[in-house]
Amino acid sequence: MHAHFAPPLQAAVAAVMALSNTSSASSTSESHALTPIHQTATKSEWMEAIEQQHLERSALNRLIINYLITEGFKEAAEKFAEEAGMPLNDIDLTSVEERLKIREAIENGKIQEAIDFINKKSPELLDQNRQLAFHLKQQHLIELIRSNLIDEALTYAQIHLAEFAEDELKMRQELEKTMALLVFDKPLESPYGYLMQLSHRQQVANEINSALLIDQNEQSESDLSMLVRMVTYMQDKLDNKSLRYPKLIDIATGKLDDC
Amino acid sequence: MPAYDDDLPTDEEEALLRRLTDNTEREERFRALIEFKNLILGSKRCKSAFFRVGTLDMLYNLLKEYSLPIDSDILIQIFDCISSFAKSTNKNLTQRLIELGFIEQILLVLIDDQQSKLFYESALRCLRSFFLSKKFANPYLSPIPFILLCDQNKFEPKSSSIIIDKSPSSYKLSPVEILFSNSQSLDILHRLLSISKSTQISVLEILCCACVDNQRQQEIMGKDFIPMIMHLLIENIFYHKRIHLVTLANEYLIEVCLKFLCSISYENPSIAQQLYSTISSETNQSLCEIVASLLKKINRSMIISYYASKFFVNLCKTKVLSCDDPYVSHQSLASLIHLCAKSNQNQCIYLYIECLDTLIYLLNGNSSLHHTAIYTEQLLSQLFNYLFTPSKIFGENLDETAIIQIRSSALTLLAVLSSHHEDIKKRIAEQENLITTAIECYRSSNLSLQIASLRLFHGLSRSVHQLRTTFNDTICDILLDAIKSSDLALVKIVSSVVSNSVLEFSICRTRLLSGGILDILLTFLTHSDQELSINSIWALRNLSYLSTLKIKQDILNGLTIERIYSLLEQCTDKQFLICLLSLLRNLFNEKDTEILLPMFNSTKLLSTLERLLKKNYPGEIHREVNFLIDYLHSNNHPTQKRLSSDSATSSCRSSLFPEYDCDEMDQLDCS
């Protein structure tokens, strides 16, 4: 799938590079406080240059499908594909569904269930990636603390997490923070309360999803997120050269800065 | 040893084990196996605890029970469990797995060709775990752990006790030996290559590990894996002409294919030649062209660059490719240097170490590549960085072992580069802090650093200029210290340095002599290690060249006339004999002959030499003998003109390692 999305990626890059090349500043010049700010193009010129980049609808659709598949939104991907008239023949939807199940289990706090699914799908993953195994078990410990099962939590930490603390300093520090939650009456309001936030479950779920994709030799990141990162990178480069250009200030809405 | 190694299973875990053993109902066992698997996967403690109570034996019994007939769902769970145990770093645990016969049993079930893809993938992953290194150095290199070849034990001497008796206490076969003891193993692996990408990766990784020597390589080669490998490479390389971009559908699989090609061609000229001549029936490209195309890709992974380069290095070292072949000098060498030079923090230091070691392997004996290697200063500059300040490149939290390894590899590569051309020697020796650092490396407690520093001194000692300038008292003292070491590898290298450092123009010579080097060299003459005894006679020969009468007498007194005669009559080592004859020639330098020759009884010496001529020795020995005979005759008859010594001087010039032609040493006049 990765090869199919090269054109949109290229187009996004082309748009930015085309505009930076119209700048009168040397491409090798370093940004300097006394260097005059150069205008690359007006907003209308910029928009015109973007319009000239031909992006097929099918390419945009593939971009969206890629995002939905990578993130594990199987039903959304199927629906979108149906509406866009795109076949999903070369995509392993079973694999997508499995990843979605794992994500849902983690985001619902059912970590042991998630571990079961992970071991079924990728039996070598937790042996090969110690950090992943630790984060899953840490999350289970957090869920036990959340449910106020203190004795179970202590036993679980002793039996299943102590070995990680022994092996690596960073994991020991993480475990200490997690265990510290037990000390507080309201762990959510403690300095380590972020561990109890639902966003922490999402963080673990994202980490697992990424690892599963890599393990299956698939892209670990959707083309769309790579494009967004690339735009941010390009804009930073232009900013460093003190170039004025219609900066994309809101990715969600596509709002450009006036320049 | 971690604290959890003493742990036993908890009560709940014990209860789970009872469910597995006591309950014979299939569904219940299946559920229990899944719970068991979820416990041990990702947990070293669990594996250790279960091992202590004999769980492996239980698993083996289950494996056997559900192999006839095959219950694939249960076996998949068992395979996953065994695979996890096999990844353990606990040697007793992994040894027990081998003793029980898991590998043999897995190979047995793989004979069945009616099972599902998942079954074969699981079984092969399990088998693979037995072969792959347990401790591999790949924290950052790739998201999926990639086992570098340096993590495998390549070409290690086979265990001296290969006992077929399967009783636990004496079972000593390795996984590779077990694999080859089953005549169907390779056929099974070949058949399973076509199942899926996962089985391809597992099979290729196993085969990489199985290439332990030329015999095993040949056996694997005989099973026709190469066409399939070529097909996998072609299938996974796409070239988009329009956007001039290549994507690699499965980088990991390509990496493993390349690693396999490197393993199978390593030190095997006949296989290397076969690979060189292999043409793809799909694209009509040679294998070299396909591999070379991977070196031209933008955004290629470091592993692909490395193993593609290493493949050509292997072809070069087996003499299939010459070192000026573009695949070697332009592509491979450039890629390896580029890889070494582009180190970043958090990249796998062990890949850089392996790159350096591969460069050492390539450049050792291929001096024509040395100037190319240092053309842009990029490599030298990076080597100095690795040697002087590795933590600035790789971060402060780097493992001490890794730091030592990269420093020692960098220093060894500098040693190889400085072993031949005088201008390169000068450039390296004059680098600020290099000699000080090399001295410091010798004084460290680490053997690999000590050996690397001595290798550098050896490379520099092959230069007249360096012997006259660099080899100061501190280095002399190091040589005198190292020559007394209990480590044979270290002593052998330092003896090479000493053999050059005792030459007449060396500033080290006097200090070495006053440090008792002569006695030490004399004791090495009868050492069981052939290289060391040759180095010592070589050193004595060099010591005797243009030497004073006193030193010559000391040599003779130490060697003794009887021993010289005994060696002339009985020595069968040709290199030793050449050195001994050259030594005699040096001793009988014109001005000292009158004093030294009578010690020998010239008639007896002459007759001994004439007997040597009748033996079937190579021309070089006969030339030396003839020269001596001629000399003795002319000495007896001063009016007779001595024959030219030109033919004899070649042996004086030749280095211990024939592939090294030392330009500086060639200028010595040994007549």
Side-chain angles (χ1 to χ4, degrees):
Chain A
M1 273 196 95
H2 180 60
H4 297 152
F5 301 111
L9 233 119
Q10 294 287 325
V13 172
V16 178
M17 294 308 293
L19 283 158
S20 77
N21 283 341
T22 65
S23 146
S24 55
S26 159
S27 62
T28 58
S29 67
E30 293 296 324
S31 170
H32 192 276
L34 297 178
T35 305
I37 293 171
H38 294 275
Q39 185 85 29
T40 58
T42 60
K43 187 170 175 179
S44 58
E45 284 169 347
W46 188 271
M47 293 309 296
E48 207 182 304
I50 288 178
E51 289 301 320
Q52 281 168 10
Q53 302 296 324
H54 177 62
L55 283 176
E56 292 169 5
R57 184 136 201 102
S58 57
L60 289 171
N61 288 341
R62 281 199 299 272
L63 207 57
I64 295 168
I65 291 273
N66 171 265
Y67 173 79
L68 294 172
I69 296 290
T70 304
E71 296 304 317
F73 301 121
K74 178 186 166 238
E75 279 176 22
E78 281 173 325
K79 191 85 179 154
F80 184 87
E82 190 190 318
E83 287 176 11
M86 291 174 62
L88 290 177
N89 297 334
D90 56 345
I91 295 169
D92 180 5
L93 289 173
T94 314
S95 175
V96 177
E97 195 162 357
E98 286 166 349
R99 282 189 288 110
L100 182 62
K101 260 170 54 178
I102 292 168
R103 179 188 279 283
E104 281 174 352
I106 297 172
E107 288 180 357
N108 290 330
K110 295 177 184 170
I111 307 303
Q112 297 290 47
E113 195 176 295
I115 290 174
D116 184 55
F117 291 148
I118 291 167
N119 288 336
K120 195 174 168 189
K121 184 176 173 53
S122 297
E124 294 194 307
L125 189 66
L126 297 184
D127 273 331
Q128 286 172 344
N129 192 328
R130 202 124 168 84
Q131 188 169 273
L132 217 59
F134 171 72
H135 284 159
L136 275 169
K137 292 183 179 185
Q138 181 197 30
Q139 190 60 43
H140 182 69
L141 176 62
I142 292 169
E143 300 308 328
L144 289 172
I145 296 172
R146 195 195 308 280
S147 309
N148 212 27
L149 298 167
I150 306 303
D151 288 341
E152 266 191 59
L154 284 169
T155 309
Y156 184 81
Q158 275 177 327
I159 294 172
H160 296 287
L161 280 158
E163 61 172 288
F164 295 95
E166 207 174 312
D167 286 348
E168 244 183 86
L169 176 64
K170 212 173 157 199
M171 289 183 195
R172 186 164 81 225
Q173 289 167 342
E174 286 290 311
L175 183 58
E176 284 168 357
K177 286 177 191 169
T178 313
M179 294 303 288
L181 291 170
L182 290 165
V183 170
F184 298 93
D185 290 332
K186 294 181 182 175
L188 209 57
E189 292 168 23
S190 70
Y192 306 122
Y194 64 89
L195 292 169
M196 303 279 286
Q197 302 276 0
L198 296 181
S199 58
H200 195 263
R201 285 181 183 169
Q202 281 171 348
Q203 193 180 305
V204 175
N206 288 342
E207 191 187 347
I208 298 290
N209 190 58
S210 220
L212 285 169
L213 285 164
I214 291 167
D215 191 63
Q216 306 292 307
N217 279 298
E218 295 173 42
Q219 278 176 258
S220 62
E221 190 183 14
S222 64
D223 286 338
L224 197 58
S225 27
M226 275 198 279
L227 266 177
V228 168
R229 286 200 292 121
M230 201 174 273
V231 167
T232 311
Y233 172 79
M234 292 293 189
Q235 289 189 149
D236 283 344
K237 282 284 182 196
L238 292 173
D239 290 342
N240 287 342
K241 290 181 183 177
S242 303
L243 297 171
R244 283 189 64 185
Y245 62 98
K247 190 169 178 171
L248 182 66
I249 51 177
D250 188 338
I251 283 189
T253 59
K255 187 173 173 3
L256 296 177
D257 190 15
D258 292 321
C259 67
Chain B
M1 199 175 79
Y4 52 76
D5 261 8
D6 289 336
D7 280 7
L8 288 170
T10 62
D11 292 339
E12 274 182 19
E13 288 163 358
E14 285 277 9
L16 179 61
L17 284 178
R18 280 194 295 277
R19 280 167 58 199
L20 275 170
T21 49
D22 300 346
N23 197 327
T24 54
E25 202 271 318
R26 187 213 174 263
E27 285 310 312
E28 180 52 35
R29 265 197 175 154
F30 183 67
R31 280 191 290 271
L33 267 171
I34 290 175
E35 283 179 49
F36 179 76
K37 183 173 92 171
N38 289 339
L39 275 176
I40 63 169
L41 260 54
S43 172
K44 291 181 184 176
R45 184 208 70 86
C46 276
K47 283 194 269 280
S48 185
F50 283 128
F51 168 60
R52 292 190 76 207
V53 297
T55 306
L56 295 184
D57 296 62
M58 182 266 297
L59 278 173
Y60 182 74
N61 293 334
L62 285 175
L63 175 61
K64 288 208 79 171
E65 187 181 332
Y66 289 100
S67 296
L68 269 176
I70 288 181
D71 184 326
S72 62
D73 289 339
I74 287 217
L75 284 185
I76 285 171
Q77 304 309 318
I78 295 174
F79 290 148
D80 289 344
C81 292
I82 299 306
S83 180
S84 185
F85 277 113
K87 290 185 179 66
S88 169
T89 52
N90 183 329
K91 282 190 180 151
N92 293 331
L93 193 159
T94 52
Q95 185 57 34
R96 184 69 189 140
L97 286 169
I98 295 171
E99 279 170 5
L100 282 167
F102 276 102
I103 297 176
E104 292 94 322
Q105 189 60 31
I106 294 169
L107 287 168
L108 208 57
V109 298
L110 283 174
I111 291 174
D112 186 325
D113 59 1
Q114 302 297 317
Q115 298 302 321
S116 68
K117 181 178 88 157
L118 281 176
F119 178 85
Y120 294 123
E121 286 178 352
S122 180
L124 283 173
R125 273 197 306 265
C126 180
L127 204 56
R128 182 180 76 167
S129 298
F130 282 93
F131 290 86
L132 289 181
S133 171
K134 311 296 179 248
K135 286 186 84 170
F136 57 92
N138 180 19
Y140 305 114
L141 182 60
S142 60
I144 310 169
F146 185 88
I147 312 295
L148 299 173
L149 275 176
C150 65
D151 292 320
Q152 301 301 140
N153 298 320
K154 307 299 296 180
F155 282 75
E156 276 196 358
K158 282 186 189 169
S159 143
S160 56
S161 51
I162 299 174
I163 300 165
I164 309 297
D165 171 24
K166 280 178 122 181
S167 61
S169 58
S170 61
Y171 198 87
K172 286 201 167 97
L173 287 182
S174 70
V176 172
E177 284 153 4
I178 297 169
L179 182 78
F180 283 101
S181 67
N182 180 333
S183 58
Q184 293 181 290
S185 297
L186 293 180
D187 294 318
I188 292 168
L189 293 178
H190 195 280
R191 190 190 91 232
L192 296 172
L193 263 180
S194 52
I195 305 283
S196 70
K197 291 229 182 301
S198 169
T199 62
Q200 285 158 359
I201 287 169
S202 295
V203 167
L204 288 173
E205 293 271 34
I206 292 168
L207 293 177
C208 282
C209 299
C211 291
V212 292
D213 56 34
N214 289 156
Q215 182 198 338
R216 297 304 187 202
Q217 287 167 324
Q218 216 58 53
E219 288 179 56
I220 293 168
M221 197 67 179
K223 292 292 177 181
D224 234 17
F225 283 97
I226 300 300
M228 179 58 119
I229 306 293
M230 289 187 71
H231 171 72
L232 288 176
L233 283 173
I234 291 162
E235 190 182 54
N236 285 287
I237 303 172
F238 298 130
Y239 183 61
H240 293 279
K241 292 196 171 95
R242 190 170 66 84
I243 57 174
H244 302 290
L245 185 72
V246 172
T247 57
L248 304 175
N250 196 318
E251 275 194 3
Y252 196 92
L253 184 52
I254 291 175
E255 288 161 2
V256 175
C257 285
L258 290 172
K259 191 169 78 157
F260 171 74
L261 291 173
C262 290
S263 291
I264 201 149
S265 61
Y266 179 70
E267 305 265 292
N268 194 316
S270 103
I271 289 181
Q273 184 60 52
Q274 281 179 261
L275 292 177
Y276 177 72
S277 314
T278 301
I279 308 279
S280 160
S281 54
E282 293 172 66
T283 62
N284 233 23
Q285 286 173 295
S286 68
L287 181 58
C288 286
E289 283 169 337
I290 295 169
V291 174
S293 73
L294 289 165
L295 279 173
K296 292 176 188 159
K297 305 293 174 277
I298 57 172
N299 299 328
R300 57 187 183 258
S301 82
M302 288 175 65
I303 298 175
I304 288 176
S305 295
Y306 173 64
Y307 282 108
S309 305
K310 190 171 169 68
F311 174 65
F312 291 122
V313 168
N314 286 355
L315 295 194
C316 177
K317 291 300 284 190
T318 49
K319 312 283 184 213
V320 170
L321 291 177
S322 68
C323 54
D324 55 9
D325 187 296
Y327 285 143
V328 178
S329 58
H330 294 147
Q331 295 200 43
S332 213
L333 181 60
S335 284
L336 288 169
I337 290 171
H338 181 65
L339 280 171
C340 288
K342 75 178 237 188
S343 57
N344 297 308
Q345 279 212 3
N346 293 331
Q347 289 292 334
C348 178
I349 187 174
Y350 290 94
L351 182 61
Y352 294 112
I353 293 169
E354 197 166 336
C355 277
L356 291 178
D357 290 345
T358 303
L359 278 169
I360 290 167
Y361 182 54
L362 173 64
L363 296 174
N364 196 19
N366 283 316
S367 56
S368 58
L369 290 174
H370 291 190
H371 280 112
T372 312
I374 65 158
Y375 185 70
T376 62
E377 276 280 324
Q378 199 185 23
L379 176 64
L380 276 185
S381 146
Q382 193 67 353
L383 290 178
F384 293 133
N385 286 338
Y386 283 148
L387 179 60
F388 300 143
T389 51
S391 52
K392 273 192 184 164
I393 302 171
F394 296 104
E396 296 293 336
N397 297 325
L398 200 52
D399 181 46
E400 184 64 27
T401 316
I403 293 179
I404 288 171
Q405 273 188 265
I406 198 146
R407 293 187 81 205
S408 114
S409 293
L411 192 50
T412 305
L413 184 50
L414 287 167
V416 168
L417 287 167
S418 66
S419 67
H420 196 87
H421 302 285
E422 186 61 27
D423 57 326
I424 300 177
K425 273 191 237 288
K426 198 161 178 289
R427 166 67 189 90
I428 290 172
E430 286 175 0
Q431 176 67 27
E432 196 182 339
N433 288 331
L434 176 69
I435 300 299
T436 322
T437 304
I439 290 169
E440 185 195 298
C441 284
Y442 176 78
R443 288 186 177 147
S444 75
S445 55
N446 185 277
L447 184 63
S448 63
L449 281 175
Q450 290 174 328
I451 288 178
S453 66
L454 289 170
R455 283 202 169 122
L456 179 74
F457 295 142
H458 178 233
L460 296 176
S461 76
R462 294 161 60 83
S463 157
V464 174
H465 173 74
Q466 295 301 327
L467 283 175
R468 284 181 171 144
T469 55
T470 304
F471 280 71
N472 55 28
D473 287 351
T474 312
I475 296 178
C476 287
D477 291 342
I478 283 173
L479 299 180
L480 284 167
D481 178 69
I483 202 93
K484 294 168 196 149
S485 166
S486 55
D487 186 279
L488 181 61
L490 200 124
V491 170
K492 276 160 62 165
I493 292 171
V494 72
S495 66
S496 301
V497 189
V498 164
S499 68
N500 293 332
S501 307
V502 292
L503 282 162
E504 184 264 340
F505 45 78
S506 163
I507 56 174
C508 241
R509 179 178 160 108
T510 310
R511 201 171 175 94
L512 285 172
L513 282 169
S514 61
I517 198 68
L518 179 56
D519 290 335
I520 296 171
L521 290 171
L522 288 166
T523 57
F524 285 159
L525 280 180
T526 51
H527 199 282
S528 55
D529 187 277
Q530 188 209 12
E531 274 180 44
L532 187 55
S533 72
I534 290 176
N535 279 355
S536 59
I537 189 73
W538 191 290
L540 289 174
R541 183 197 75 170
N542 284 356
L543 185 60
S544 64
Y545 176 63
L546 297 181
S547 191
T548 61
L549 177 61
K550 163 97 178 44
I551 291 173
K552 288 181 185 178
Q553 283 171 327
D554 287 343
I555 292 173
L556 276 176
N557 290 338
L559 207 42
T560 74
I561 306 294
E562 295 77 39
R563 197 159 154 206
I564 291 174
Y565 275 119
S566 163
L567 285 167
L568 284 172
E569 297 274 13
Q570 292 165 17
C571 177
T572 52
D573 187 310
K574 298 173 182 60
Q575 274 186 305
F576 193 99
L577 205 47
I578 289 173
C579 288
L580 179 59
L581 292 167
S582 305
L583 168 66
L584 289 176
R585 183 155 46 81
N586 289 345
L587 289 174
F588 299 143
N589 179 275
E590 213 167 305
K591 62 181 173 64
D592 300 320
T593 307
E594 284 176 14
I595 300 167
L596 295 177
L597 194 52
M599 292 168 74
F600 276 85
N601 184 338
S602 58
T603 311
K604 183 180 177 187
L605 182 57
L606 207 53
S607 60
T608 306
L609 291 172
E610 280 165 357
R611 277 197 295 281
L612 272 178
L613 270 184
K614 290 177 184 152
K615 290 187 182 174
N616 192 20
Y617 281 133
E620 202 171 351
I621 291 181
H622 284 169
R623 277 195 295 276
E624 285 283 343
V625 172
N626 277 325
F627 182 78
L628 275 168
I629 291 173
D630 169 60
Y631 189 83
L632 290 173
H633 278 313
S634 65
N635 195 61
N636 290 338
H637 304 96
T639 53
Q640 266 185 310
K641 195 178 167 189
R642 287 192 196 90
L643 288 174
S644 159
S645 64
D646 281 350
S647 60
T649 53
S650 63
S651 70
C652 180
R653 290 175 189 159
S654 67
S655 167
L656 182 63
F657 306 106
E659 62 212 12
Y660 294 146
D661 292 323
C662 180
D663 297 331
E664 278 286 322
M665 294 300 192
D666 277 358
Q667 289 161 22
L668 290 177
D669 181 9
C670 296
S671 62

